[in-house]
Amino acid sequence: MALALGAAGLRAQAPARGQLPALPKGAPKVGDMAPDFALPDTQNKTVKLSELLAGPAPGMAARKGTWVLLVFYRGYW
Amino acid sequence: MRSIQQKNAEITERGVRVVAISVDPVETTRAHIEKQGFTYTFLSDVPMEVIKKYDLLHAAGFKGNDIARPAEFLVDPTGKVRWANLTENYRVRAKGEEILKVLDELGVKASADETVTVER
């Protein structure tokens, strides 16, 4: 019985699969300005966030300015 | 990533560019996205400068290596964050469908719909 309880206790403490550390405090929040950056794309061309935002929207030449969906992912593909 | 690819045409139609960022080197990413058929923009942040700037470092997150924790941000043309999605479990991520719903809520529409009045 003690052994079974012990095992259950361990299970309860084990993190769920995929569990991440506590949410970061410094990540941009709604209403904040997204920090600008420049990084290489898969053609080794430098892409700058502020330039993307200022440029024409893909498939919508008439609209000034582009929205950007930033997707951070874990990688190690 | 795949569910966003599946909705990428619909997302792009609304004037939104999808930009993915990870620690993977340029060559690794290029090979992978070609194989997977991903067509949006992938950027490489090997030094983790941007990942740290956005406070998304997951120390030793993959086999002892530092990586980014998954997160999505929708940025408007002025550079302001209009929607942010951080997860406490990397198996729970924003899907393409959810992104479209958020764009609906923010009134980010395809050009053909721009004359439609949004009731609030």
Side-chain angles (χ1 to χ4, degrees):
Chain A
M1 188 59 192
L3 190 69
L5 278 173
L10 277 179
R11 253 202 309 281
Q13 277 171 18
R17 194 161 163 235
Q19 191 66 39
L20 293 164
L23 289 175
K25 303 238 186 298
K29 293 171 181 62
V30 172
D32 290 349
M33 295 303 285
D36 198 15
F37 60 80
L39 287 173
D41 69 8
T42 53
Q43 304 304 316
N44 261 312
K45 193 179 133 253
T46 301
V47 172
K48 197 164 185 228
L49 177 64
S50 53
E51 286 174 9
L52 281 185
L53 296 169
M60 286 185 105
R63 182 183 284 179
K64 220 177 152 190
T66 304
W67 287 65
V68 171
L69 176 68
L70 292 176
V71 180
F72 288 86
Y73 68 102
R74 289 164 54 79
Y76 275 85
W77 278 345
Chain B
M1 312 302 290
R2 168 126 351 249
S3 85
I4 290 174
Q5 177 62 45
Q6 283 162 353
K7 298 289 179 197
N8 187 42
E10 282 170 72
I11 294 171
T12 304
E13 259 175 29
R14 295 165 184 243
V16 181
R17 186 186 291 270
V18 180
V19 175
I21 299 170
S22 81
V23 295
D24 284 352
V26 166
E27 296 73 22
T28 314
T29 307
R30 183 170 56 226
H32 187 83
I33 69 170
E34 277 171 12
K35 197 169 133 210
Q36 296 291 326
F38 292 155
T39 54
Y40 46 92
T41 300
F42 280 76
L43 304 180
S44 180
D45 186 17
V46 174
M48 306 198 71
E49 278 171 26
V50 178
I51 291 164
K52 284 177 188 163
K53 206 186 248 188
Y54 277 71
D55 198 16
L56 296 172
L57 172 71
H58 183 189
F62 184 80
K63 296 185 178 171
N65 300 294
D66 292 349
I67 58 171
R69 61 184 295 150
E72 296 85 27
F73 302 91
L74 193 59
V75 183
D76 75 14
T78 72
K80 195 180 276 187
V81 176
R82 300 292 297 273
W83 176 76
N85 183 59
L86 275 74
T87 180
E88 288 187 86
N89 187 310
Y90 66 74
R91 290 151 63 87
V92 183
R93 305 282 307 275
K95 298 271 192 287
E97 201 65 56
E98 188 183 348
I99 303 295
L100 289 172
K101 238 174 84 185
V102 168
L103 292 172
D104 279 344
E105 284 163 11
L106 291 170
V108 184
K109 295 171 161 290
S111 51
D113 297 340
E114 275 184 316
T115 51
V116 175
T117 308
V118 184
E119 283 182 38
R120 291 259 162 207

